[in-house]
Amino acid sequence: QVQLVESGGGSVQVGGSLRLSCAASGYTVSRYCMGWFRQAPGKEREGVAHIDSDGSTSYADSVKGRFTTSKDNAKNTLYLQMNSLKPEDTAMYYCASEGISICTGGVDYWGQGTQVTVSS
């Protein structure tokens, strides 16, 4: 059974940083496309960052230069380092995976989400 469990969310002031983690079980993160999505109240869920099995990354324009996603294959864990946080980054953040090596935009597995709140 595949499980993706996020942690690391919380409340932070504008300009602050947070690092989200996504621990996988029943699943090998090194083999598959992994990614982060977020959903703010009243808005649609949107893709934030993705990382292919070969380590290639892609980011939404709104977070480029501020967010970095990475994987620790030994720990079977995905990370999202978020710097220079803005109020508009406030959302529930979800870890996700597409069960193929190169990301194409689909999602096969979701985590339960972790809340990030940025206040001014």
Side-chain angles (χ1 to χ4, degrees), residues 84-96:
S84 302
L85 283 162
K86 304 176 181 180
E88 51 264 43
D89 295 319
T90 295
M92 184 72 78
Y93 283 72
Y94 298 90
C95 172

Side-chain angles (χ1 to χ4, degrees), residues 28-83:
T28 304
V29 300
S30 63
R31 295 180 181 176
Y32 301 108
C33 162
M34 302 292 298
W36 294 94
F37 291 74
R38 67 185 181 187
Q39 187 168 21
K43 295 188 177 181
E44 293 188 355
R45 191 172 296 189
E46 62 174 352
V48 174
H50 290 82
I51 183 167
D52 293 335
S53 60
D54 65 358
S56 300
T57 56
S58 61
Y59 299 92
D61 287 343
S62 58
V63 306
K64 278 181 183 176
R66 300 189 298 121
F67 290 12
T68 303
T69 190
S70 61
K71 295 187 290 186
D72 184 328
N73 294 333
K75 294 184 178 179
N76 209 33
T77 299
L78 176 72
Y79 300 101
L80 183 67
Q81 178 67 44
M82 305 185 295
N83 299 328

Side-chain angles (χ1 to χ4, degrees), residues 1 3 5-8 17 29 35 38 44-45 48 50 57 68 79 91 101 107 112-113 118:
Q1 183 180 358
Q3 281 192 316
V5 180
E6 302 96 331
S7 61
S17 298
V29 300
R38 67 185 181 187
E44 293 188 355
R45 191 172 296 189
V48 174
H50 290 82
T57 56
T68 303
Y79 300 101
S101 60
V107 175
Q112 83 289 349
V118 184

